[in-house]
Amino acid sequence: MKIFLATKNKGKIEDFKKLTENMDIEVVTILDNIEIPDVVEDGDTFEKNSAKKALEIAKYTGIVTVSDDSGLCVDYLNGAPGVYSARYSGENATDESNMDKLLEDLKDVKKEDRKAHFVSVVTIAYPNGEYQSFRGEVEGEILFERQGNNGFGYNPIFYSKELGKSFGMATMDERVSVSHRGRAFRKLKEEVLDKLS
């Protein structure tokens, strides 16, 4: 079965390819020279953005499409950066500038008030307009400085209680075993993909 993974983020592409190892699924992406339209992610929830992206691209490509919308929610900041995680530090945001802004915003916040969680909503959409979404979360806290540089996004400053280390210090296998994206994807796998492949 062929599935188009709707993302331009190479880190997410690597994560999804890892998650579909040993399955009878061919994952295709923009790296396979498939043109896709830019989808404006203007929803106020991860669910709305994930579904919109998957549906628009499935209809455009005619290929079953999987999309992920994910972000970091910090309790002290009332859930920010949330759906704005990728552009937290502005229009030309990078992983580094986003981490710098978050560390600055939390610089005087004590350890016990730095609780946070990652959210991922994975949607599978079909060219006929049908879709299903699955949500995964992982709890942790924001560190005072970067630890490790594995993965992407906010991983170096997110401490996972389950792993006992930052996501930036974790191997891909360790991270995928507990991550928000891994959890959302496993729900998709169990409820949809295992029945198709």
Side-chain angles (χ1 to χ4, degrees), residues 9-171:
N9 183 312
K10 289 182 180 171
K12 287 187 182 182
I13 290 170
E14 284 180 21
D15 276 5
F16 271 105
K17 287 197 169 174
K18 182 74 183 171
L19 288 159
T20 51
E21 269 182 354
N22 306 317
M23 295 182 71
D24 188 22
I25 288 172
E26 178 190 357
V27 178
V28 291
T29 71
I30 58 163
L31 301 181
D32 298 298
N33 295 315
I34 296 175
E35 290 292 318
I36 58 170
D38 273 328
V39 178
V40 179
E41 296 177 49
D42 52 5
D44 56 2
T45 65
F46 296 111
E47 282 81 2
K48 287 178 185 174
N49 286 332
S50 178
K52 182 180 181 185
K53 187 161 50 176
L55 282 164
E56 285 193 23
I57 292 174
K59 286 176 185 172
Y60 181 85
T61 61
I63 303 171
V64 176
T65 297
V66 168
S67 165
D68 151 83
D69 193 48
S70 53
L72 179 65
C73 303
V74 180
D75 292 6
Y76 184 83
L77 300 175
N78 298 313
V83 293
Y84 303 106
S85 292
R87 51 193 186 278
Y88 187 49
S89 57
E91 278 304 306
N92 299 311
T94 64
D95 289 351
E96 292 304 314
S97 66
N98 285 336
M99 282 191 283
D100 286 343
K101 175 170 170 50
L102 186 59
L103 289 172
E104 177 65 22
D105 289 348
L106 297 175
K107 70 176 188 223
D108 298 321
V109 178
K110 52 189 187 292
K111 184 179 186 301
E112 55 266 35
D113 293 329
R114 299 173 77 93
K115 291 183 177 61
H117 60 280
F118 270 124
V119 176
S120 168
V121 175
V122 172
T123 299
I124 184 166
Y126 304 86
N128 67 2
E130 292 181 18
Y131 73 97
Q132 289 173 272
S133 296
F134 304 89
R135 185 182 178 103
E137 297 189 17
V138 59
E139 300 291 331
E141 62 186 46
I142 303 303
L143 295 162
F144 288 89
E145 58 187 29
R146 293 166 175 76
Q147 291 184 9
N149 51 21
N150 292 339
F152 60 97
Y154 296 90
N155 284 348
I157 59 172
F158 182 82
Y159 179 86
S160 164
K161 294 174 182 175
E162 288 163 278
L163 295 179
K165 62 175 93 171
S166 78
F167 272 4
M169 299 283 285
T171 65

